[in-house]
Amino acid sequence: MSYEAIQQAAAVIAERTGRPEHRVAIVLGSGLAGYAATLPGAVEVPYADIPGFPLPKVQGHGGSLFSAQPGEVPVLCYSGRVHTYEGWDMADVVFGVRTAVASGCSTVVLTNAAGGAGDGLEPGDLVLIRDHLNLAARNPLVGTNDERLGPRFPDMSDTYPRDLRDLARQVAADAGVTLKEGVYAWFLGPTFETPSEVQMARRMGADLVGMSTVPEAIAARHMGARLLGISLVTNLAAGISPVPLSHEEVQETADAARERFTALVDGLLRTLH
Ligand code: HPA
């Protein structure tokens, strides 16, 4: 997807939302997709109305962008995302975050559902992403680099900056929500991991395993945005869990945690700028 296509999508977002610029973007993962519509004064733009936008296929993921201003600055909420395992090109997977950064968002919040692999993690836990492991051997920046988007060799040593994590912890404390912290490992999916893959990821330093987020983090970082990542542990990872994994379990835990996750996201969108 070209630089021009990203600019064009950003122009349509500005026109349709009536806001020339947004400052913070959030990608709402499984179970949180319904949240954006509840924001006061939210303006909805269906992805289908934005040129170049990939349309989500998985049930439980919505398909609209919402613009709102719950705090000091206008925010863009991406309600539903597309995943690499659906067969999308990497450029499609990251089109949303690229349009967000092109729309002025210098802070991007990525949320997801993940399996808990680290010691002490339990279903229902909310976990700040401290760093990630790209275990999918895919990268959205493969190919010719467009210098207008960012550098050929982006630095990834401070992808999820400490000051944003500290701020998130403060917001969580104010909302009465407990936040843990860990490293997220991206597996391509769509199979859940094998127990051995989970053990491998643990030994590599992973606390969370999931099928999203890392491509978007890479693309947003490439464009100079700062990232905040939040995982909801919907299940213990394969082999740690005593029962087989299922999408139903993921959705049930996401449903049960919605109130806490929403309180955290609400506080963040009022505070980030
Ligand atoms: N593995 C990968 N992705 C996931 C999981 C998991 O255990 N749970 C929710 N998304």
Side-chain angles (χ1 to χ4, degrees):
M1 211 60 76
S2 67
Y3 177 80
E4 285 74 21
I6 294 160
Q7 295 299 321
Q8 198 195 343
V12 169
I13 291 168
E15 185 195 315
R16 289 286 301 270
T17 61
R19 292 194 170 98
E21 224 186 39
H22 291 80
R23 301 294 300 281
V24 174
I26 183 164
V27 179
L28 300 165
S30 313
L32 270 187
Y35 163 74
T38 69
L39 280 169
V43 180
E44 179 172 3
V45 185
Y47 290 159
D49 294 356
I50 306 171
F53 231 91
L55 304 178
K57 297 169 191 165
V58 177
Q59 279 178 358
H61 299 260
S64 281
L65 184 62
F66 292 82
S67 164
Q69 186 163 348
E72 271 176 53
V73 299
V75 302
L76 279 179
C77 297
Y78 289 78
S79 199
R81 56 153 61 93
V82 299
H83 300 83
T84 314
Y85 63 72
E86 294 171 85
W88 293 99
D89 288 344
M90 292 259 73
D92 292 318
V93 173
V94 301
F95 190 69
V97 287
R98 280 182 168 157
T99 59
V101 184
S103 298
C105 299
S106 51
T107 304
V108 176
V109 184
L110 300 173
T111 69
N112 61 54
D119 291 336
L121 290 184
E122 291 167 28
D125 282 350
L126 289 166
V127 187
L128 274 176
I129 299 177
R130 180 170 66 244
D131 199 1
H132 71 230
L133 285 165
N134 182 351
L135 299 185
R138 309 270 185 105
N139 192 305
L141 307 186
V142 168
T144 309
N145 186 56
D146 190 327
E147 291 285 332
R148 292 172 294 180
L149 291 178
R152 172 74 287 188
F153 301 109
D155 172 54
M156 296 294 287
S157 46
D158 196 24
T159 306
Y160 307 89
R162 180 182 295 271
D163 62 321
L164 280 183
R165 282 183 278 133
D166 288 345
L167 187 109
R169 261 189 292 270
Q170 187 60 55
V171 167
D174 292 346
V177 173
T178 304
L179 260 187
K180 295 182 177 174
E181 191 171 288
V183 173
Y184 177 97
W186 175 36
F187 283 88
L188 184 58
T191 45
F192 287 115
E193 301 71 30
T194 64
S196 299
E197 287 163 350
V198 170
Q199 288 306 317
M200 174 190 75
R202 265 175 65 94
R203 284 175 194 163
M204 289 174 157
D207 301 292
L208 304 154
V209 291
M211 305 178 196
S212 68
T213 299
V214 169
E216 294 142 307
I218 291 171
R221 189 73 206 108
H222 180 230
M223 292 177 75
R226 289 152 54 79
L227 277 299
L228 189 61
I230 305 165
S231 290
L232 168 64
V233 176
T234 51
N235 56 282
L236 293 176
I240 300 172
S241 170
V243 295
L245 273 52
S246 71
H247 189 53
E248 288 68 38
E249 180 190 5
V250 168
Q251 288 197 312
E252 276 168 28
T253 313
D255 287 345
R258 181 168 296 122
E259 212 173 300
R260 279 182 304 125
F261 210 163
T262 302
L264 175 63
V265 166
D266 234 19
L268 283 172
L269 295 186
R270 275 168 225 287
T271 311
L272 290 166
H273 53 267

